[in-house]
Amino acid sequence: MLANYGIQCLARFDDGAERRLALPRKLHAVAGDWGETDGKRLVTIEPREHILARADADSTQILGANVDRVVLVQSASNPPYRAGLSDRYQVFCAVMDIPLILVINKIDEGDEAVLAKARRYEEWGVEVVCVSAHSTENIAVLAERLREGTSVLSGHSGVGKSSLLNTLLPGVEIEVGDVSDYHGKGRHTTTTARAYAYRDGYLIDTPGIRQFGFVGVDPSDVARAFPEFAEYADQCKFRNCMHTHEPQCAVRDAAESGKIRKSRYRSYLRIIESLEY
Ligand code: GDP
Ligand code: ZN
């Protein structure tokens, strides 16, 4: 299933043909779903393996199903890179056990400090690829990483996700927006996720996110995405320490003394807080 268009969906068949099928109201198909058809309609959806899902104040949305990796696209220039967003994706992916690739686009106009910040994530088990959709620098490296399996691309609008997909998918033309109105309302953007066959797998394009609210994440899961906390967490007084307010918390001490990056610890606290309200 490549895309859900309401009463219809776009399906890809085993022989590679793509065509629309009727979509019964009770089937909430999402890009990346596998299913069966009677030739006219989609009749079943197989249970999903890994999903990328997000929530905001109004709704929860599954952005892609049966995904083998999540690709968070951020920009090295405008809109500005946001470490907090990388951390949130890292948490989601750690909990769901999905590999994360952090793609930093617009390196043609980005500064080195941003790239250095992003590359830190390699220490924490995240693959980082710095590219430019405009100059095509490192696009071949990215293409190689996405060769197999299903990759779901997500990020704020304006980061250049459409431009990257147009570079990776010759022949497909996704509308590219103007970065100046990335937080405006007027722009027509992708509103529904769409999967494209790509080499030996699929790429799923998703609507630009404003907020990456969690689905299925419990506060006690969050530390898993912060592997640099682990050696200290063993020394906390309480075995189930959440590293927030507990006395004799070795993780907080390590952050205070600079053994753990303070910005990461603060990000951890913000994530815990966002889950508790
Ligand atoms: P999306 O909202 O993430 O799909 O972003 P778009 O692909 O629509 O791009 C938003 C803006 O960023 C457009 O003006 C693009 O021309 C620009 N852009 C995209 N990729 C690059 C890049 O690699 N370098 C630079 N300098 N600008 C880019
Ligand atoms: Zn602790």
Side-chain angles (χ1 to χ4, degrees):
M1 225 291 301
L2 301 175
N4 178 326
Y5 294 128
I7 58 168
Q8 287 190 320
C9 67
L10 182 64
R12 183 178 166 90
F13 292 79
D14 291 338
D15 65 2
E18 293 180 9
R19 69 169 192 273
R20 287 190 184 228
L21 292 173
L23 182 60
R25 191 188 290 270
K26 64 177 197 307
L27 290 185
H28 302 285
V30 302
D33 269 332
W34 296 97
E36 281 179 59
T37 172
D38 60 8
K40 285 197 181 109
R41 298 173 310 150
L42 186 69
V43 291
T44 56
I45 297 175
E46 285 177 25
R48 294 170 184 140
E49 295 254 324
H50 297 290
I51 58 163
L52 175 64
R54 58 167 284 274
D56 60 24
D58 315 316
S59 63
T60 296
Q61 215 181 354
I62 298 178
L63 299 171
N66 304 309
V67 305
D68 295 300
R69 68 185 68 81
V70 170
V71 179
L72 169 62
V73 183
Q74 292 227 47
S75 142
S77 59
N78 187 33
Y81 172 75
R82 286 186 45 207
L85 191 67
S86 300
D87 294 336
R88 294 187 72 86
Y89 274 78
Q90 202 186 352
V91 167
F92 181 87
C93 289
V95 170
M96 300 294 168
D97 202 18
I98 311 174
L100 172 65
I101 301 185
L102 173 60
V103 169
I104 306 295
N105 185 37
K106 308 197 190 185
I107 56 170
D108 54 293
E109 57 175 40
D111 78 60
E112 206 35 62
V114 174
L115 302 189
K117 238 191 201 181
R119 285 211 187 88
R120 264 178 221 151
Y121 283 79
E122 287 174 343
E123 281 170 44
W124 306 320
V126 176
E127 207 175 335
V128 180
V129 186
C130 301
V131 300
S132 166
H134 278 187
S135 74
T136 74
E137 190 178 346
N138 279 341
I139 293 295
V141 175
L142 179 61
E144 196 48 41
R145 297 290 185 283
L146 308 182
R147 162 191 284 282
E148 289 182 323
T150 297
S151 308
V152 58
L153 282 76
S154 179
H156 282 309
S157 51
V159 297
K161 186 164 51 62
S162 308
S163 305
L164 284 172
L165 284 163
N166 286 335
T167 315
L168 293 165
L169 296 161
V172 173
E173 276 181 34
I174 302 167
E175 192 189 346
V176 168
D178 185 347
V179 77
S180 62
D181 52 34
Y182 74 87
H183 34 206
K185 306 135 209 83
R187 187 181 153 193
H188 169 82
T189 43
T190 326
T191 52
T192 178
R194 163 77 153 97
Y196 298 91
Y198 179 69
R199 300 173 94 187
D200 301 324
Y202 293 90
L203 300 181
I204 303 180
D205 185 20
T206 63
I209 52 134
R210 287 225 172 80
Q211 241 184 312
F212 186 68
F214 289 129
V215 177
V217 175
D218 191 78
S220 62
D221 295 329
V222 176
R224 237 191 278 178
F226 293 78
E228 73 272 36
F229 292 7
E231 62 176 296
Y232 304 102
D234 286 343
Q235 299 157 32
C236 293
K237 177 169 184 201
F238 297 105
R239 264 233 278 185
N240 58 352
C241 186
M242 289 293 295
H243 323 306
T244 55
H245 59 277
E246 296 87 344
Q248 295 176 49
C249 168
V251 170
R252 191 177 58 235
D253 291 347
E256 273 162 15
S257 65
K259 291 190 202 116
I260 288 174
R261 273 185 188 281
K262 288 198 175 71
S263 55
R264 281 274 282 182
Y265 179 64
R266 278 198 299 267
S267 184
Y268 169 84
L269 292 180
R270 270 199 301 274
I271 290 171
I272 296 289
E273 213 174 283
S274 76
L275 283 166
E276 279 174 348
Y277 92 95

